[in-house]
Structure formats: structure tokens, C-alpha cells
Amino acid sequence: MTYCLGILTRFGLVIAADSRTNAGVDHISTYQKLFDFSVPGERTILLCTSGNLSITQGAIAALEKDIKHQEEINLHTLPSLAEVARYIGNKIRAIQEQDRPFLERDRIDFKCSILLGGQIPGEEPNLYLIYSQGNFIHATKETPFLQIGETKYGKPLLDRTLTANTPLEAAAKCALLSIDSTMKSNISVGPPIDIVMYHTDSFTIRNRLRLRLGDPYLAKIRKLWESYVKQAFDDMPDVEWEYYEDDVKEDILID
């Protein structure tokens, strides 16, 4: 399992991913899940992968091959991010059509998903979630984030804090806390954590970070977040129970 998320605000994008894969309690490995296919000054294209590792690695390899061989259609030639999303979806379908019968025969889950974020000149930045079937959705002002993988533990924080007007630095902090919350509750998600921040119309990635196991910043934000959550819990008013006169009389009679 893995956890990746993208956040889209009017200021740009934040994309983050863990690096753990889990094929059982005794088979835990680390693989890169955030990939940068940007052309500095020309276009920004960032991908995060989740699901069957052989399928996603095959898709990434196919994308790299098209760029290397300068195919007419590749990540660097398509004129819109929506067309990039469709192109990636077609790659996923092609690999699945080849491998799916053999994976199904051995009852291996072949599903995967990919987050695509970036900006192409003439467009605003955007964020897409490409499903295993090759279709996709995009983030909106009402829902400015998308997740793949082990999504449930880190979602409440995103729901309560993010809007389309959230500054990028705050969005990055929120992304890291969301991943840390997931790591706290699920052993299949873990460091190193990769995070990238992209500013609208810059067409350059100036902010990127890899946080490894035991990183002081990760330890600091976890300790602070847990103390703040506990303090907020302690400050919550007690439950205002309702008592009914009939219930009280009945209790007296029983006594």
C-alpha cells in the first residue's frame, strides 16, 4: 500500500508521496512513487503512483521510452494536461491488457492509479486522478485535493483545513501532516517522504524535499501535532447529558 496526495490552490500545486510498498508483513520495501517529467521553463509534469507495482513501473517505463525515442506523442509534446492524462490512461490500459490475464489467474490485484499535476503554457495549473481503467477526474475549487492509496486516515485533516485559497506553504505543511497521520495508523505507509511545491506560472520546480526515517522535522511536527490535538481535545466541553424525570423515578423505584 502507499499514500500519495496532490493539493491544488490558486497559488500552485503541492504533491507528496510516501515510498513504502507492502506485499505482506515480512516483505516491506522502498520504491520511488513521485516522478518529475518537467521541462524547466516549458512545462511542469509531476506523477505519483499507487497500486500494483509492476503495472505502474511498466507505465512509467513506457512514458520514459516515448520521450527517449522522441515519439510524436509523449509527455513533452501534448498541448494540454487533459490530453496528458488521457495519454497516461491509455498506457495503463495497454499494460493491463497484456498482463491482466496472468495476474488474475494467480489472484493478484492488478489495479493501480496515478496522480498527475502540473501546468502547460496557456493553461492554469491542474491536478488529475487517473484510474486503473484509464479514465480520470480533476480537482476543483470545491475539492482542491486528490488522494490515492491509503486515503482514509489523512483525509479528515485535509477536509477541515484546505480551500482553494490556502497558501502553498500551508498546503505543504498540511500534506506532510496528512501523511504523518496515515503513517501513525497504518504500517504499510512510511518514509522516505517526497514532497514538491510548484508556484503558478513559474514552470520551474524550486521547492522539493525528501524526508527519511528519523528526520528531525518529521519527529518535530508529529510531536507538536499530537500535543495540539490532545490540548484541543482537553479543551472540548464535556458532553451535556439529558436527564428525564421518568428515568430518575424509575431508578429510585429499582433501588
Side-chain angles (χ1 to χ4, degrees):
M1 187 56 78
T2 186
Y3 179 41
C4 308
L5 75 156
I7 300 170
L8 175 67
T9 79
R10 67 187 182 91
F11 303 103
L13 284 161
V14 171
I15 295 183
D18 82 316
S19 301
R20 179 169 292 177
T21 62
N22 182 20
V25 294
D26 58 349
H27 192 179
I28 296 175
S29 303
T30 298
Y31 286 94
Q32 178 182 351
K33 299 172 190 175
L34 195 159
F35 301 88
D36 185 357
F37 286 93
S38 303
V39 180
E42 297 182 15
R43 61 178 56 202
T44 299
I45 296 178
L46 299 164
L47 303 181
C48 282
T49 62
S50 174
N52 184 286
L53 189 61
S54 68
I55 300 293
T56 57
Q57 286 187 339
I60 294 297
L63 298 175
E64 292 173 336
K65 181 180 177 182
D66 285 353
I67 293 173
K68 181 179 179 179
H69 291 217
Q70 298 182 346
E71 297 290 344
E72 183 178 353
I73 298 177
N74 66 60
L75 292 176
H76 296 165
T77 62
L78 290 163
S80 72
L81 211 61
E83 291 178 72
V84 170
R86 179 64 64 189
Y87 162 71
I88 294 172
N90 290 337
K91 292 294 185 184
I92 293 174
R93 276 200 297 264
I95 295 170
Q96 286 182 332
E97 286 175 5
Q98 179 179 346
D99 295 348
R100 179 174 177 173
F102 306 98
L103 295 172
E104 284 186 326
R105 184 181 63 190
D106 292 330
R107 299 181 180 179
I108 297 174
D109 188 358
F110 59 87
K111 294 179 181 179
C112 66
S113 51
I114 291 180
L115 283 182
L116 161 67
Q119 185 178 18
I120 290 177
E123 297 183 334
E124 294 295 318
N126 216 329
L127 177 66
Y128 291 86
L129 193 167
I130 306 168
Y131 294 105
S132 188
Q133 296 82 358
N135 58 322
F136 54 88
I137 62 173
H138 65 86
T140 66
K141 290 182 179 179
E142 294 73 25
T143 307
F145 66 88
L146 294 172
Q147 306 164 278
I148 56 175
E150 188 57 76
T151 62
K152 56 184 177 289
Y153 300 108
K155 188 174 186 294
L157 172 64
L158 304 176
D159 285 332
R160 291 178 180 274
T161 58
L162 289 176
T163 73
N165 294 315
T166 301
L168 283 183
E169 287 289 353
K173 185 164 52 178
C174 187
L176 289 175
L177 285 172
S178 179
I179 291 179
D180 181 73
S181 297
T182 306
M183 291 192 297
K184 179 73 172 179
S185 299
N186 192 311
I187 194 173
S188 69
V189 175
I193 298 170
D194 292 307
I195 182 167
V196 172
M197 185 168 69
Y198 169 73
H199 293 266
T200 298
D201 294 333
S202 65
F203 296 102
T204 301
I205 303 294
R206 298 191 179 94
N207 303 95
R208 67 175 75 236
L209 183 65
R210 166 162 275 214
L211 298 171
R212 302 183 183 277
L213 181 65
D215 186 278
Y217 178 72
L218 273 181
K220 180 180 180 180
I221 64 171
R222 169 171 286 189
K223 182 178 180 180
L224 286 172
W225 184 245
E226 288 178 349
S227 67
Y228 294 153
V229 170
K230 186 178 185 304
Q231 183 61 53
F233 173 79
D234 291 340
D235 291 342
M236 288 292 105
D238 291 338
V239 177
E240 297 179 356
W241 299 105
E242 293 184 357
Y243 294 95
Y244 298 95
E245 186 176 347
D246 290 343
D247 295 337
V248 173
K249 289 180 179 179
E250 184 178 342
D251 290 341
I252 293 173
L253 290 174
I254 293 173
D255 291 341

